[in-house]
Amino acid sequence: DGTKPVPNMEFWETMLKAYNQEVDPTYKFDAVVPPTEGYRHDENGPPPYYAKLSPGKGRGLFASRDIQKGEIVHNGTTSDVIFPNDTSWKRFMFALPRKMACDQWEWTFTQQFEEGGPMKIVSSLNIAILMNEGDKAKDVNVEPQDGNGAPSDYSSVFYALRDIKKDEEILMNYAAYDTDYNAAGIGAQSQTWVIELVETCLNSLGWRKIGATLGLGR
């Protein structure tokens, strides 16, 4: 939705409050880098991108400086939050205001972190989650790689595939991760709940009421 504004600090603080309440009471934002700028990427501060509206894509990430090929652009090991199970994610979702929950639904993905490992539910509580997908393969300029520089869907560290100019949009390929909502417990096993969520996002149905009915709200 190209009309949605880039989230402000109040937005992220609401997300954090819900996450602390339902998932992990010890999680805190970085004391140096606010979520409106990302997270502490390295000793220089935030990652080399900023958020703004992207024509035809909605909210997106853009290079804040020239980035060299092979440089780490995004480090999910520092940025991402991993939900311990599907119930904690569902409770988190219903602790959010409806429109915010609809955003979070779009921002939730699943990932395995090692071969044969469990499929985890993953998101980010900062602007890193706004990274868009390239419309064509040639548009993609970052990808997750392992320590040897090979593409890896087990990795959360994104490297620049080529030189990226300042103010150019940072674009990935969403297919880099083998998303499997069923394996993570939020797909077919929760089919009724997912249908309720989608209908609510589309039709503005009673959000808290649905959560209470499913035993997932407060």
Side-chain angles (χ1 to χ4, degrees), residues 52-63:
K52 73 169 187 176
L53 294 181
S54 172
K57 294 180 181 295
R59 298 163 290 192
L61 299 177
F62 294 78

Side-chain angles (χ1 to χ4, degrees), residues 27-95:
Y27 184 85
K28 294 180 174 61
F29 289 138
D30 189 288
V32 176
V33 179
T36 50
E37 297 178 19
Y39 55 94
R40 190 169 351 190
H41 183 65
D42 55 29
E43 65 276 6
N44 296 316
Y49 50 71
Y50 62 93
K52 73 169 187 176
L53 294 181
S54 172
K57 294 180 181 295
R59 298 163 290 192
L61 299 177
F62 294 78
S64 56
R65 57 171 174 80
D66 289 346
I67 300 171
Q68 295 183 341
K69 178 180 178 179
E71 186 176 342
I72 295 177
V73 178
H74 168 63
N75 189 344
T77 63
T78 304
S79 166
D80 295 345
V81 293
I82 301 172
F83 293 84
N85 51 56
D86 62 302
T87 299
S88 66
W89 179 77
K90 293 169 187 175
R91 289 191 179 279
F92 166 67
M93 292 287 283
F94 278 107

Side-chain angles (χ1 to χ4, degrees), residues 9-208:
M9 191 65 189
E10 182 181 2
F11 179 101
W12 296 119
E13 286 175 340
T14 302
M15 282 263 185
L16 175 64
K17 181 179 179 181
Y19 189 81
N20 286 158
Q21 175 180 286
E22 303 295 346
V23 185
D24 181 359
T26 67
Y27 184 85
K28 294 180 174 61
F29 289 138
D30 189 288
V32 176
V33 179
T36 50
E37 297 178 19
Y39 55 94
R40 190 169 351 190
H41 183 65
D42 55 29
E43 65 276 6
N44 296 316
Y49 50 71
Y50 62 93
K52 73 169 187 176
L53 294 181
S54 172
K57 294 180 181 295
R59 298 163 290 192
L61 299 177
F62 294 78
S64 56
R65 57 171 174 80
D66 289 346
I67 300 171
Q68 295 183 341
K69 178 180 178 179
E71 186 176 342
I72 295 177
V73 178
H74 168 63
N75 189 344
T77 63
T78 304
S79 166
D80 295 345
V81 293
I82 301 172
F83 293 84
N85 51 56
D86 62 302
T87 299
S88 66
W89 179 77
K90 293 169 187 175
R91 289 191 179 279
F92 166 67
M93 292 287 283
F94 278 107
L96 296 171
R98 181 188 66 83
K99 290 184 179 180
M100 198 173 291
C102 293
D103 278 333
Q104 186 56 235
W105 171 249
E106 295 178 0
W107 297 341
T108 297
F109 60 100
T110 65
Q111 184 180 359
Q112 281 181 301
F113 293 94
E114 60 184 0
E115 186 174 0
M119 190 67 72
K120 295 290 188 177
I121 305 169
V122 187
S123 190
S124 288
L125 305 184
N126 61 68
I127 62 166
I129 202 64
L130 302 178
M131 189 182 298
N132 283 319
E133 182 176 39
D135 292 328
K136 301 176 181 178
K138 66 180 181 63
D139 297 329
V140 174
N141 51 24
V142 297
E143 73 173 2
Q145 298 178 356
D146 62 21
N148 297 316
S152 173
D153 55 2
Y154 303 127
S155 174
S156 300
V157 183
F158 285 70
Y159 292 80
L161 294 174
R162 55 173 174 78
D163 290 346
I164 302 172
K165 293 294 185 181
K166 184 178 184 295
D167 298 321
E168 182 180 348
E169 186 165 10
I170 307 295
L171 297 169
M172 66 174 290
N173 178 4
Y174 287 166
Y177 294 126
D178 183 19
T179 297
D180 189 340
Y181 293 116
N182 291 349
I186 56 174
Q189 296 172 14
S190 308
Q191 185 173 5
T192 301
W193 181 84
V194 171
I195 291 172
E196 295 278 16
L197 171 60
V198 173
E199 288 183 347
T200 298
C201 291
L202 293 176
N203 302 316
S204 301
L205 301 176
W207 183 238
R208 304 285 183 178

